[in-house]
Structure formats: C-alpha cells, structure tokens
Amino acid sequence: MKKIQSYLIKVTGLVQGVGFRPFIYRLAKELQISGWVENRTDGVTILANTDQEGLDQFQQLILQMHPPASRIDQITAKKTDFFPCHQFIIKKSQAVAGQITAVSPDLAVCSACLEDIKKQKNRINYPFTNCTNCGPRFSIIKNIPYDRKNTSMHDFIMCPQCEAEYTNIENRRFHAQPNACSICGPQYQLVYQNQTITNMDAILSVTTTLLNTSGIMALKGMGGFNLICNAEDQQAVRKLRDLKKRDGKPFAVMFASLAGLKKYAQPADKEIELLTSVARPIVIIKSKTAGLPEEVCNGLHTIGAILPYMPIHYLLFEKSQLEAIVFTSGNFSSEPIIIHNHVAEQQLSQHCSAILEYNRTIINRCDDSVVQVVKNKTQIMRRARGYVPHAIPTALNTEGIFATGGELKTTFCLGKGQDGIFSQHIGDLKNADTFDAYQDAYNRLKMLFQFKPELVVTDLHQDFYAAQWAQQLGLPVIHAQHHHAHIAAAMAEFHLEEKVIGFAFDGIGLGTDHKIWGSEVLICDLLNFNRYSHLDYVLLPGLDQGAKEPWRMALSYLYKIFGKDLVNLDAPLLQQIKAQDQQLLVAILEQKINCIATSSMGRLFDAVAALCNICLIHTFEAEAPIRLENLADPQCYNEYSFHIDQTIKVYPMIEEILRDVQNQTPVAKIAAAFHNTVVRIMITLAKKIKNEYNINKVILSGGVFQNRFLLSRCYDFFLKEKFHLYVANQAPVNDGGLALGQLAIGAKQRSQ
Ligand code: ZN
Ligand code: FE
C-alpha cells in the first residue's frame, strides 16, 4: 500500500522564463502526482503528493530532463503537512514587492524548432519559429512581467493555430511569448537595388547569389545588425575590410556546423560546450594554419568562431551551401551596433549589396558575446547576448547600488538583493551615441528589475560621461579606484572578503596620485587597498597618440635608459621611424610636453612589441600585445633580468631585448621570454607579500589577463608555488567587469 504524503520541493537556478513550470506540470501528470508548482523569488516551489519512491523518481527526472535553457543549482525536498489536491496545477505567480522578475537572456534556436522549419505546415522556412526552449527574450522585452504584450511581439496577433499552441499546456509552445508562424508572425524583407523583396524563397535565392558572388550583406540579427560575407572568398573579405577601414580587428566567423568549424580550428571539449550552448557566444579558439583568407584573422593564430543561433542563419547556410561566413557587428568604429531598419538603410546601404531586415523591433540592443577558455576555465570577454541579464550572486547586500562602470568597454551594474546585474556590453563611452545607448540600457534595466537607486559608485575619473551623469542623479556617490575595482570584481564573484594579493594589469586607469596606473600590485580587501608595488613610472608621450602608436612607448622606455642618445642606438625599430619624428618625440620627452607618467602594463607590452618591430601603430585595440602573444613560443622558458625596489624596474630587460633584437634572436623567443619575465615578476612579489603578510589568495584582473599565454603561465607558476589563484569567470577581466567591483566596494563601504 502506497503511503501518499505531501512534499515541498524547492528548485533553485535558472528556472524562470525557460519553460520550467510547464515541464514540471507535464512530468507530474505523467507520474500521476497531484499538487502545484509556483514561481518564487528564489526559484520554483513544488508541492507534490506522492510516496517516497514517487518523490525520488520525480526528483531524478527533473534533474535529467529539465528544459535545455534551464539550469538547476539545487533541488531539495522536505515533508510537509498533508495538503490534498485533485490534480496538478500551475499556480499563478504573484508579483511580490521588490521581487526580482527573472528575465531570460536570448536563447539559440533549439533542434525541435529546426525540425519544424523543415516540415511543419505554416513554419516551413519560417525564420521566427521558436518555443519555450528557444528564441528571443531579453532583446524583445519592454517591460515586466515577461508577457507577450510587454514585448515587441505585441504588434503581432497570434493566428488561431498559434493561439492553440500557446494555450495548450501539453504543447512545446505553451506560453512561449514570441510564438509565431508564417501566417501571423514577423517577416523578413530584403532591401536590394531599390526593391523590397518579401517572399522568403525569393529572399533566400537572391541572398544566395549575392553571397556566392562576393557580396556583403547586412543582416538583422537578434540584438542588432551584423555584416556578413563568404569567409572563404578573399575578394569579399577584402571588401568588408575596406568598409571597416580603420579597424583591423580580426573578424568573427560563423560556421555552418561544428564539423565545418573543425576544418579551420581546433576546439577543445570545453570550447565545444560553449560553442553549442544556448548562449551561443563567439569563442576564441586556436585556428589551423591553412584555411581562410589572411584578411579574416589578420595574421593571428586564433579565430573568433560562432555557430548559427537563429533560424535565418541555418537557412542561409543551407541554401547558399557556404561553410563559413564572416560575422561582424553592423557598426562603424566606436558607434553602437545598429538596431533599427531605417538606420541600417541609411548607413549601410551604400556599402552593402543588400539589407536583410525584419519588421519586429529590437528593444534591447545586444552584441554577440565573446568568450575564451584558458586552462579549461571560461573567461567572458564581452558580456552581452545569451548572458545578459543573468544575475551574478555576491555575498553582499547590494540592493539599490548603481555602479556606473568605466569609460572603455563599458557595462554598468545594478544591485538587487545580493546580486549584481550587469548591463549588456555598451562600448566605449566616448561619443554621444554610445552614451545615449548607455542611458537607454540603464532606464530599461531599472524598469525590468524594479530598481530603485540609493547609492552610486563610479570611477575616480571625473571626466567620464558616466561619472558626470552619476553626479546629477542627486544620490550619494562613492568613487572607487579603477584597479581596486578590477580586483574587487573577482572578489565579489568568488565571495572573498579577506585580504588578497591583487595583480591589476591593464592599459589605463586613473590613480589616486592623478597618474595613469596599470600594473598595480595591491594588498586589498573590499574596503581598502595598499599599492604594494607597480612598474616604475615612465612617460606616456601624448595621451591618445602614445596609446595608439606603440613606437612612442618604445622610445619612451629607451629614453629612460639612454636619454636623448637613444637616437644613435642600433635598433631596427629606429630604422622604421623618420629621424625627424624621433627628434620630435625626444624633444617632447625632454621637455615633458603633453606627457603623463604611467605605470601601465599594457604600454610595456606595446613598447616591447614595437622594440621587436612587430607592431608600431595599432590598427585595432591592443594589437601590439596580441601580436606579441601570438608569436610567443610556448616551448621557451627563458627569462630576462629585472630589479625590484620601491617599484618594478624592467630596464635591464629592455636592454636585453634590444640586444636580442640586434642579434636577430627569433621574435618567438623574445616574446616568450618577455611574457615569462612578467610572470616571474609577479611570482617574486607574491612570494614577498606572502612572507610579510601571510596572504595566500591571488587575484588576477585587468585586460592584460586576456592574454592566453600569460594567463596559462600564471596558472602553472602560481599553482606550483601553492597560491590560490582567482580569475573571474562571469565578470570580464577587462574594463567590462569594473562595474561589479564598484558595486562590491560600494556595498562594503555602505555596510560599515
Ligand atoms: Zn524551439
Ligand atoms: Fe582597466
């Protein structure tokens, strides 16, 4: 005889807005369990009337079969007072004041929907097909709760068939808010040679012809426009390069399939997991030497690879028979990615063969995310589509704190409960358009998360758009130092509050002494930091030019060692630079005109790359360090000399590198030895601090740690020395992660 009892099951994780409750309902019905399921602030609660055996089976099946877009962190069950029910129901979720309404990130199309596109009536070749397991979410939401009327699907009235799916709990499209078919849903249109083509077959056939004849197309994606062309067609890729002329940044490539991708790149298991995840980010992976035209990766040994995530991508590949398309964001230089049809038509039509757009509005602009794997650990480099607006849990009371982020690769962070909610990547806040995008994103997230700002945390730098705007909100403002915030971001993610050793290495950040910092060795907790060491200051000649033209930094280092006699050195670099320019730069350094002292690690990488003659002027951000890393020989463990007193003196190393270059030592060896030396400097300082202060936890943060060679050497060496090493997985290590650190610093200060 079965002993039926009531059990309360709690499931936490990502269980809202991803078809979790209908799944529980269907499962309960199948197992003949009565009771209910309900959304709560912290997850889903289930009342199940069953016996012990039934309960075990229920829990096991929940764990095994939950919807692909959901994630279960924990599932617990306890007996409760018997509560008789006739059937199993989904309780209406009640909006509790202050409750975080879960908003799901956008999800890649699922395999069941891809099947439907092949054979289901009204959905054949219909590119807006979706279900509770897949499709747009964040990019189409205007307001909460997440109901169709609060999304840009509001404009489309469901046909009786879609309506029937939407209201049938047994159906995969039950309460799928963007549910649509070719009869009632959004439609693509191709703007081509002053015509507008609306028939899907015609669109695909014209598109196929264009892509196969070196055409460049603008394609409206999930969170904005992309520019695409055949990645195997050198002429097309060159055209696209020209179009983005000031930008030499390697292009991301979308591959038709994982099998196709493996022809050009060598993904590890963890990378495959990311490539095929519902977030479907761009994953930086090792490329194979032969393959795509040079212009795609611009000489780098890595490739930003991505797999299709919208039905339209699959359709384009299928019809065109292409294997790889260049997939880059539809914007120019530092402007935000284009989201509106009329803007795309205005700005892109003279450059593109055609524009493939659709008649549903993108509410929230969202770039493709970029991630990489180093030592089997994920690093998010650009946090956007597929990840935003997932909350990052901290161990601090963050409620009501608005962290503005910095100026480059900006994101901001809102504090809710103990969470940090990152905005999508917005870009460099250097122009009004980007700042508009920032304010839009702030207003939207504020509404979606019912956020009430009480405290603002921003950078020390008062000139930033965001910092100035923050001042006007009429709220208390805390200023967090840039590099302290870098370290604090990882502390928040790993729930660390004790003192740690922080290496914050990046390009630029304002210091408390008004100099440009960037190689900071900190002993810190969330409240305070002590700047234990840093690279000896050198002059950064011309703030912007100095950063864009690595040869200037190389000369600055040489000037520090040799004075104005540097012009007489036998250095291959100098042969590349006009005598006049050399003289001018020396004069600038002599008289300290338009120079600022910097301890930037990024600028040291620039100087070394220029000294090796591999990159004198950047054609994209961080090109010099990236090329240096790209060349470094992983078999080489040579190191150069350095000296540490009050500061880190790398001048002996610079002289040795100069000598190596003169002796025509292979750059691969020089580059490796340089990286090894930076790691040796870090180990030396970490051991000193450990001896003096007995601190064993080391955090690496700042854009420099996107360097795969450097980071993997750090893992090897620090672990060998028995340090506990922390590098953020969720928050970008570059300035895109600053906001979480600011949030944590603000939360800690407020709690004092
Ligand atoms: Zn689906
Ligand atoms: Fe930084």
Side-chain angles (χ1 to χ4, degrees), residues 158-190:
M158 272 187 275
C159 68
Q161 224 171 342
C162 283
E163 182 78 41
E165 292 172 329
Y166 182 87
T167 47
N168 175 8
I169 195 158
E170 305 288 344
N171 194 285
R172 204 174 86 243
R173 299 198 165 91
F174 174 71
H175 285 189
Q177 305 304 344
N179 188 26
C181 74
S182 59
I183 308 289
C184 63
Q187 304 287 343
Y188 274 92
Q189 59 179 37
L190 187 74

Side-chain angles (χ1 to χ4, degrees), residues 482-483 486 505-509 702-703 733-735 738:
H482 186 102
H483 301 92
H486 266 309
F505 289 0
D506 63 2
I508 183 167
V733 296
N734 59 48
D735 287 3
L738 276 180

Side-chain angles (χ1 to χ4, degrees), residues 60 70 98 101 108 173 194 212 231 283 334 340 367 516 581 668 692 697 723 726 741:
Q60 209 162 45
S70 64
T101 313
R173 299 198 165 91
N194 300 320
N212 277 302
V283 187
S334 56
H340 296 297
D367 287 74
I516 303 290
D581 290 345
E692 290 171 37
K697 293 187 171 157
F723 284 98
Y726 299 87

Side-chain angles (χ1 to χ4, degrees), residues 335-350:
E335 275 144 42
I337 180 171
I338 294 169
I339 56 171
H340 296 297
N341 293 355
H342 67 275
V343 181
E345 285 164 29
Q346 250 169 37
Q347 296 189 8
L348 301 175
S349 51
Q350 75 257 42

